Amino acid sequence: FCLISAFLIFQSWYPYELRNVFTGAEVIHRRCFPIYWITFRQMVPVVGLLMLISVSTVPAALASVSDEVAVVVHLVGAAMMFVGYIVAELKCLQMCGMAGSVQAKYLDIEGPERVVREVLMVIVLISYVIFCFCQVMLVVGAMASPPLCCADVFAAQRAKAGVNLARATVETATGMVLALKVCSFLSEVISGLALIASHIVIWYYCEERLVNFAEDGIRAVYDEENLVELHHQAHTVYEQG
């Protein structure tokens, strides 16, 4: 499912095609990072998703050096997907001081769409911060003396012998470790669901969805306020603006 989603999102090139996410020729930073925001949105979250689903992880107690590298790659992919999408969407919505003069000429986000997208971004952001906090607490708790109670106990020899992880587990986590793991899982799931919902909302409110391409080709865009199709061959309100 995730692989198909990543492929379809990448193939859609929606940051270049939809007016409610198209920020024009605005770059992130002209000197330090001269990349278009639409390119950033097109590439970073999707590549992060592919890294996330392609590289599996194992419990830290059973991880070898190669496994630890895999864990790092997995977490970098998660950060690219979540943080990359959050930053790109905050830019589109001009939240957290991320307004731009160039994008204002192209973006068309109005009414309920803006409210719904802002609410979803707040959910994604807060949930991901909670997930990161739980992960940091689990790592710090494992390194503390005494360690945080009570982590999973594994039979390392069984795991190395290729036994299923469930069979290699001697005792599952309890207490604060269990609470942190459950909180981490739920926050990541909530953040992911809100991110998916954000894509659906963008598709639902985009003007291009309502254009009759069978008759008008790609020359027309839809004015949702007046409920009419506007043709670029004529002088439209967009060209006059």
Side-chain angles (χ1 to χ4, degrees):
F1 175 78
C2 291
L3 181 61
I4 294 173
S5 300
F7 177 77
L8 293 177
I9 292 172
F10 185 79
Q11 288 297 312
S12 71
W13 290 89
Y14 79 98
Y16 293 82
E17 303 294 339
L18 305 183
R19 294 186 67 243
N20 55 350
V21 290
F22 182 70
T23 54
E26 187 158 343
V27 297
I28 297 175
H29 194 282
R30 293 192 178 277
R31 292 185 178 181
C32 301
F33 202 51
I35 303 295
Y36 292 125
W37 277 104
I38 51 177
T39 303
F40 178 87
R41 188 183 188 118
Q42 169 69 16
M43 297 296 179
V44 175
V46 175
V47 173
L49 177 58
L50 290 172
M51 292 170 61
L52 183 66
I53 64 178
S54 301
V55 182
S56 58
T57 62
V58 298
L62 301 176
S64 61
V65 175
S66 60
D67 292 329
E68 291 176 354
V69 173
V71 170
V72 171
V73 174
H74 183 85
L75 293 176
V76 169
M80 289 176 62
M81 183 183 74
F82 285 105
V83 178
Y85 187 80
I86 289 169
V87 171
E89 187 68 347
L90 291 179
K91 175 62 178 175
C92 275
L93 298 172
Q94 302 182 35
M95 297 173 66
C96 301
M98 299 182 68
S101 58
V102 177
Q103 70 181 52
K105 300 177 182 178
Y106 301 95
L107 280 172
D108 184 23
I109 308 172
E110 302 166 342
E113 178 188 1
R114 175 173 293 277
V115 175
V116 174
R117 285 173 65 177
E118 287 179 351
V119 169
L120 287 172
M121 271 305 95
V122 171
I123 294 174
V124 173
L125 181 58
I126 293 176
S127 299
Y128 186 70
V129 169
I130 294 174
F131 165 75
C132 292
F133 173 78
C134 292
Q135 290 296 312
V136 170
M137 289 300 298
L138 286 170
V139 173
V140 172
M143 297 172 60
S145 181
L148 197 64
C149 182
C150 296
D152 300 277
V153 178
F154 301 97
Q157 297 301 323
R158 292 186 191 176
K160 291 180 180 179
V163 175
N164 183 281
L165 184 60
R167 290 190 171 186
T169 304
V170 177
E171 188 69 38
T172 57
T174 57
M176 184 57 68
V177 172
L178 176 61
L180 287 172
K181 291 181 72 172
V182 171
C183 184
S184 172
F185 173 77
L186 291 177
S187 60
E188 186 178 25
V189 170
I190 293 171
S191 185
L193 291 175
L195 192 148
I196 294 172
S198 178
H199 280 90
I200 295 173
V201 169
I202 290 171
W203 165 80
Y204 180 80
Y205 282 104
C206 72
E207 297 171 353
E208 292 77 5
R209 183 176 69 87
L210 302 174
V211 174
N212 189 344
F213 289 103
E215 296 180 3
D216 298 314
I218 60 173
R219 299 171 300 169
V221 295
Y222 192 82
D223 185 351
E224 78 282 3
E225 295 174 352
N226 300 316
L227 300 178
V228 295
E229 292 179 355
L230 302 174
H231 299 270
H232 285 293
Q233 291 179 337
H235 290 289
T236 70
V237 293
Y238 299 109
E239 292 175 351
Q240 294 172 3

